[in-house]
Structures are given as C-alpha cells and as structure tokens.
Amino acid sequence: MEIQKTLLAASLVAVFAAGLPLAASAAGGASGAAVKYAKQGQIGEVVTNPYRIAPLTAIIRSGGYTLSDVTVRIVPKMNGAEIKYSVDRSELLTHGGIPVFGLYPDYVNTVEVSYTRADLKGEKIKVNEAYKIYAPPVYTEGNGTVSQKSTMFDTTVVKVDPEFKDRLYLVNNLLVSPPKGSRVVWNNPSGGALEWCFYPQNAIIDSTGAVRWYMNVDSIYDMESVYNGGVMMGFQQGEDGALTWGYGQRYAKYDVMGREVFNRRLPAGYADFSHSFDQAQNGNFLLRVAANDVKRPDGRNVRTVRDVIVEVTPAGRVVDDWRLWEILDPYRDVVIKSLDQGAVCLNLDANSAGKTLSSEDLAAMDKEEHFGDITGVGVGRNWAHVNSVDYDPTDDSIIISSRHQSAIIKIGRDKQVKWILGAPDGWKKGWAEKVLTPVDSKGNPIKCLQGKCENTNFDWTWTQHTAFRIDSKSDNRYVYLTAFDNGDGRGLEQPALADMKYSRAVVFKVDQEKRTVEQLWEYGKERGHAWYSPVTSLTQYEADKDSIMVYSATPEMQLVKGKAVGAPSPYLQEFKWGKTEPSVEIRINGSMGYQAMPFRVEKAFHHAK
C-alpha cells in the first residue's frame, strides 16, 4: 500500500510539473494523455516540414477519413507561377494525408485542396477548402567568404515563352569552401578526393525564378564527418518521382517531401562519390566513384580518383564495376598537358591560372608521392575525371564523359571500348582505332588534325560535362548525344588571351555502324567569353517539350591571386529542338553552379499504375 501511495504521489508531481490539468490525465488512454491539435479544415492537422529536410512542404493529415480524388493548388503570388497537381492513393497512404509541395518561403501561403472524404459509415462528401500555411525563410550555411551575399541564390528572369510557364527547375548548386568541411583527407592508403566538401544549395524554382522548395540538409549531412559530408551531386528524378543523388561516401534516394527511401554508405570497396548517379533502364544504379585501395605496378597502394563506375542493385548489392585504368590509357596526357591549371575541375588554384603541365612535370610527379585529386597521369591521380555516366539499354553499355581525356566513350559490359568521340591525338594502338570519324550533314568526312578541324563548324568537346544519350531519338544503330563542351584546352592548347575561351552546348549523332559522328546543333560560341563555364554545367534533352535544357553553371567565375572576389552567375536556358534562341533564360545570381534540370511535380505525386 505504501508503495502504491508513493507511486501515485510521484505521478501527481509529474503532472503538476508539466503544467497539465488532472482532467487531461483522465482523458487519456493506455498510451498516455490525449494529444490535442488545431485543425483548419474538415480533416486533420497541418504538419509542416514533416520529414525535416524539406521546409517548404507540409502534410494535411487525413483526420481518420479515407481520401480520394485529391488535387492541390498553391495560390501564386501576384504575377507568380501556379503549382497544381493531383495526388494518387499511394501518396495519400504513404504520407497519411495530403502532401503539400511548393510553398513560398517566409510567407503565409494559401493552399487550395479538393478531395472526396469518406467515413466508416460509407458516407462520401466532396470538399473544396483553403488552408493558410506559413513557411519560414530559406536557411543555408555561411562560408565566411566575401562572395556570399544571401541565404540562397536570387534570380533574374530574362525570358520565358508561354509554353514553358509551367516549368519547375531543380537547381543543384554549391556553397564553396566552408571551413568546416576542409579538415579531413584520406591517408591509408593515400590519395582520393575526400577533402572535396562543399555545402549543398539545392532548390526548386518556378518560371518566375521564385524558390518553391529547398533542402535543409542538416539532419542528414555533416561537413565535419567523414561519412556524412561531401558534395551533393548527380541529381535525377526517377520514374517514381523521387530524387536520387550522392555525396561523399553516400548515395541516397528521397521523395520530394523529404521522406527517406534509402541513404547508404558506398559499398566497402569504393570511395568518393561525385558527379554522376544514373538510374539505368535495367533497374540498377550506376555510381561514379573511386577504388579505395589499388596496388600500382610500382608496388604503392593508393586510392584512385574519379575513375570507377560501380553498378548496384536497388537493394545495394554490387553486381559489376568498370575500373577505367584497366580499360583506357591512364598515361594519355595530351589533354592534361593543355589544361589551365587554374581551372582544373574542381580543385581551383588561381595562382596557377594560365599555366600548363609538361611531360617532365608529369614524369617527375609519377616518381613521387603526389597522389590525390590533382591532375596527373597514372592510377591514383585525376587522369580521367569522369563526370557523367549514362546507360545504353540497346547493347548493355555505358557512355561516360571523361573530362581529362576530353572524350565521350562508350564501353560494353565486356569492358571493351566500343567507340571514342574525341580528338584522335595521343591515343595508342587499341584505342586509336575506336575514335569516330567526323562527317558533315552529307556524310562526307571532315579532316581533323592536332585537335582542330578544317573549314567546318564541327568541333570535338573539350573538358566536357554530361554526355547523355537521347533515349527517345536513339536506337541500336544511331546514338543521339547531348554534351556541355566547357572548352578549356580547346584544340589541345591555351589561347593567347584568356577571354578568347568559350563554351558550347552541343548535340551529336553517332552512326555506330559506319563509326562516324555528325554535329547537329550547337549554342554558346556566339555568346563568347561571358557565357564561358570553365567547370561543371549540363546539356540534356527533355522529351516532354522536345527541348534542350542547358545550364552554363560557372560563367564570370572570378578568382584573383587565389582568393574569391565574386561568385559565378549561371545561365539556365531551355531551347526548342533545333532552335538557337532560348525559350527560357533565367540568370542564377551569385552562386557556384553545378547542374539544373526540369522537375516534374505531377510525376512526384501521381504515379500509381
């Protein structure tokens, strides 16, 4: 009895300490006191940022009803862009209510929802109602540099044609050089690219340039942790509407509400994800990584740099890999010797601007313990720098973009090179025969020598990014390819003046039977140096509007004597197929760009079979 009295007294003390009325305890059930919440409409409560990483989302809980025929509309600001989408049953069940996407930050949003509500009696009511939902301001990390001016990039809309008014764009940018992320390197074995760690700036903007979604990564990301830091890159929206990407030693999949599908460490034999995460048509994932331990012919053990493609199943099991030093020539140096060492992706060293490497420099480096994310030749250095991988389902092959070989290369499952789209210079026997022959529109061969082609607008790509197959236009003979030709080392040399450099978005057609390549379209040369992006960027075909998406991500990058004095201002553009005037042009002001691409909101919330 005394024990019971003591327990009762302790319970009362706890209740009073919590400031709860005794009646609340009596109203509770076996799991504790009743939970009360405010609700605005005819179903349940509103939960903002439900999964902690997407602050401009919310869920309107079902309130115990069965919901169907759901649509959501975020009422736009004056002259703003409307976001409206339907929600299928699987999404309602997954989130326990109506998912709300596209809230304006630091703003009381009006959200119109319509739905059919059914209760246990079988009664159905069609409801149309509006909710008021405040979303807080955008948050980002500070990096302590003079180039950072705001929490998130701002935008200037130059042009949006009516057909593209409904566009949403996922912008994957980077906040460079935060000191918190610059303290760790691999040292056993040596090399690798662990020290490369930028804070993520991932957002979705509408066609007016307004931020309508962004990722607050702090619950899944830590720059001071080896296995939770890195650079978030390689974003794709899959057929199920969810996003995949990787960062550092991880690869991840989340839906746009922020719900985790998976977030995994890389398989044990690999390290240093960056650049490319391809959702292959065979159902597996292709990740651009590195090997975490390779014994070189000279007996030294090293981590490699950006030169391995690993194929994993959705369950995370490794089924294959492409170790590129065994497939290509890691000592081909004609491109590496022509690169501006002040603009080598992505370890920028402005003190080396305009300088190049010689054969003697490379030979001396190979005899010393200079390994890691530096330009050089041989296993353990950044000789390949693969920045995109794309799967070709017609012959079970991969297409890679190797920046430091200035080449787009197709490689089969048997690890044999099928063809090389790049300048023929410097390829040894066994590879030289695989270089495609450039032709004009009539199929006539174009003469090219020492990186240059005569009397034509055809050009190879130089330090390119994003060599993507256009699936809807390609077949087992013809491969249509998009690429962003960054342009450093063009023609295997540095120009007399730095402002003579330019970049291009380009489309090629490869005839795999005749082993030829034709240039179908280009844009950017006419924009000159102001449009030049020395690193990063994207060119990608969009089937829904028969258009080419282009992101010139680092124009106007300013580095003076090794110090940043200004951030780039990327160009986000979209072109109708074959046109050289953009239908969309939006400037992303003051931000280190990586990639950008359309985001399909309907695919995210309505994908049930």
Side-chain angles (χ1 to χ4, degrees):
M1 181 63 71
E2 289 300 321
I3 294 175
Q4 292 176 337
K5 289 181 179 179
T6 302
L7 290 173
L8 177 60
S11 299
L12 291 173
V13 169
V15 168
F16 284 118
L20 297 174
L22 287 175
S25 178
S31 61
V35 177
K36 295 183 178 179
Y37 55 82
K39 62 178 186 177
Q40 295 189 36
Q42 298 186 39
I43 45 177
E45 73 272 32
V46 175
V47 180
T48 60
N49 192 13
Y51 302 104
R52 301 178 64 191
I53 71 170
L56 304 185
T57 66
I59 294 172
I60 304 171
R61 297 293 191 196
S62 66
Y65 296 98
T66 298
L67 306 180
S68 60
D69 305 320
V70 175
T71 62
V72 179
R73 175 178 180 258
I74 313 300
V75 176
K77 293 181 177 180
M78 184 176 294
N79 300 318
E82 177 184 86
I83 292 180
K84 184 177 182 180
Y85 54 91
S86 58
V87 184
D88 69 24
R89 183 170 180 268
S90 69
E91 288 293 313
L92 296 169
L93 295 174
T94 297
H95 299 294
I98 300 174
V100 176
F101 161 88
L103 300 172
Y104 289 100
D106 196 21
Y107 185 73
V108 178
N109 293 265
T110 300
V111 180
E112 297 177 347
V113 295
S114 65
Y115 54 88
T116 298
R117 189 190 78 183
D119 60 20
L120 290 179
K121 297 178 182 178
E123 296 179 355
K124 292 186 177 181
I125 301 175
K126 183 68 176 179
V127 179
N128 295 282
E129 57 186 3
Y131 288 74
K132 296 292 186 180
I133 303 176
Y134 173 77
V138 172
Y139 167 79
T140 195
E141 184 80 11
N143 70 351
T145 69
V146 297
S147 62
Q148 186 177 14
K149 300 293 192 297
S150 62
T151 59
M152 185 65 76
F153 49 77
D154 60 51
T155 59
T156 301
V157 177
V158 179
K159 178 184 182 182
V160 177
D161 285 351
E163 181 183 351
F164 292 82
K165 290 288 187 182
D166 62 343
R167 270 296 195 227
L168 296 171
Y169 295 100
L170 171 63
V171 179
N172 170 207
N173 278 5
L174 318 171
L175 184 64
V176 301
S177 303
K180 294 177 185 178
S182 305
R183 302 297 186 209
V184 184
V185 295
W186 295 123
N187 59 14
N188 183 26
S190 63
L194 179 64
E195 73 273 14
W196 196 47
C197 187
F198 299 163
Y199 188 81
Q201 284 194 318
N202 304 316
I204 294 174
I205 62 173
D206 63 25
S207 61
T208 72
V211 172
R212 307 298 295 271
W213 178 93
Y214 80 98
M215 189 186 299
N216 186 334
V217 299
D218 288 356
S219 64
I220 63 171
Y221 182 85
D222 181 358
M223 281 184 289
E224 298 176 286
S225 167
V226 171
Y227 291 104
N228 294 287
V231 184
M232 290 190 175
M233 308 178 87
F235 279 81
Q236 282 191 356
Q237 185 183 18
E239 289 304 313
D240 61 358
L243 297 172
T244 53
W245 72 93
Y247 57 108
Q249 315 313 314
R250 311 191 73 83
Y251 66 108
K253 180 176 182 177
Y254 288 73
D255 69 24
V256 75
M257 296 297 292
R259 181 184 65 89
E260 179 183 313
V261 180
F262 60 75
N263 188 327
R264 304 180 182 134
R265 287 264 299 269
L266 291 176
Y270 309 95
D272 299 340
F273 169 91
S274 67
H275 290 80
S276 184
F277 182 145
D278 183 53
Q279 299 184 36
Q281 292 92 324
N282 66 3
N284 292 336
F285 303 133
L286 297 169
L287 310 176
R288 210 303 325 279
V289 293
N292 68 10
D293 194 359
V294 172
K295 186 173 287 293
R296 288 165 44 98
D298 58 18
R300 291 180 286 185
N301 285 61
V302 296
R303 295 180 188 271
T304 71
V305 181
R306 312 188 197 285
D307 55 6
V308 178
I309 314 303
V310 63
E311 182 178 12
V312 299
T313 67
R317 184 169 58 87
V318 177
V319 293
D320 206 353
D321 67 7
W322 287 257
R323 294 153 61 94
L324 294 178
W325 63 90
E326 297 175 348
I327 300 170
L328 301 173
D329 178 8
Y331 285 92
R332 179 179 181 255
D333 61 7
V334 294
V335 174
I336 288 171
K337 288 192 296 186
S338 67
L339 297 183
D340 182 347
Q341 294 300 302
V344 172
C345 187
L346 277 157
N347 284 337
L348 301 173
D349 179 7
N351 291 321
S352 297
K355 298 179 182 178
T356 57
L357 294 172
S358 67
S359 297
E360 292 74 20
D361 293 332
L362 293 173
M365 182 187 298
D366 206 38
K367 295 178 181 179
E368 299 174 359
E369 295 293 332
H370 290 171
F371 296 107
D373 192 14
I374 55 176
T375 45
V377 293
V379 179
R381 301 183 185 89
N382 198 350
W383 66 274
H385 198 106
V386 174
N387 52 40
S388 75
V389 184
D390 202 10
Y391 183 70
D392 186 341
T394 63
D395 58 2
D396 194 26
S397 298
I398 62 171
I399 298 170
I400 66 169
S401 163
S402 174
R403 182 187 194 271
H404 290 175
Q405 296 298 313
S406 284
I408 299 166
I409 305 166
K410 188 174 189 181
I411 306 171
R413 177 70 65 180
D414 59 2
K415 312 305 182 289
Q416 298 299 306
V417 173
K418 291 180 177 289
W419 47 256
I420 298 171
L421 199 172
D425 308 83
W427 294 101
K428 296 178 181 177
K429 184 178 180 180
W431 295 286
E433 301 86 345
K434 305 297 178 66
V435 177
L436 297 171
T437 299
V439 296
D440 61 22
S441 60
K442 297 180 180 179
N444 300 313
I446 296 171
K447 184 178 180 181
C448 297
L449 186 66
Q450 295 181 335
K452 299 178 178 63
C453 301
E454 298 179 354
N455 303 317
T456 178
N457 66 345
F458 178 92
D459 199 359
W460 309 107
T461 58
W462 304 96
T463 61
Q464 76 289 322
H465 282 71
T466 60
F468 293 149
R469 178 180 185 267
I470 303 178
D471 293 333
S472 61
K473 295 182 183 293
S474 302
D475 55 31
N476 58 1
R477 176 176 175 178
Y478 297 106
V479 176
Y480 289 76
L481 283 171
T482 61
F484 191 93
D485 171 15
N486 292 80
D488 186 40
R490 187 177 301 281
L492 298 173
E493 63 183 10
Q494 289 294 312
L497 299 173
D499 62 8
M500 296 170 67
K501 296 182 180 181
Y502 61 87
S503 298
R504 301 183 305 150
V506 61
V507 177
F508 294 109
K509 179 183 178 182
V510 174
D511 185 332
Q512 298 184 116
E513 185 177 297
K514 293 185 177 179
R515 306 190 62 76
T516 61
V517 57
E518 177 188 353
Q519 180 178 295
L520 300 180
W521 177 86
E522 68 172 349
Y523 175 85
K525 182 177 181 179
E526 67 278 17
R527 299 291 295 261
H529 191 68
W531 202 79
Y532 170 66
S533 283
V535 294
T536 70
S537 307
L538 169 145
T539 307
Q540 178 174 289
Y541 178 74
E542 305 300 334
D544 62 337
K545 294 186 186 293
D546 192 27
S547 61
I548 299 290
M549 170 76 205
V550 179
Y551 194 51
S552 181
T554 52
E556 303 173 20
M557 179 184 287
Q558 297 178 47
L559 293 167
V560 176
K561 295 182 179 180
K563 295 182 179 180
V565 297
S569 292
Y571 289 84
L572 186 160
Q573 296 168 303
E574 198 164 355
F575 299 78
K576 290 296 291 183
W577 179 260
K579 301 297 183 181
T580 54
E581 282 294 321
S583 295
V584 176
E585 183 169 320
I586 300 174
R587 294 298 302 271
I588 310 294
N589 301 316
S591 179
M592 173 69 183
Y594 181 62
Q595 292 182 352
M597 63 211 71
F599 175 81
R600 277 82 179 186
V601 65
E602 192 70 17
K603 181 186 289 188
F605 296 110
H606 196 89
H607 46 73
K609 301 294 184 184

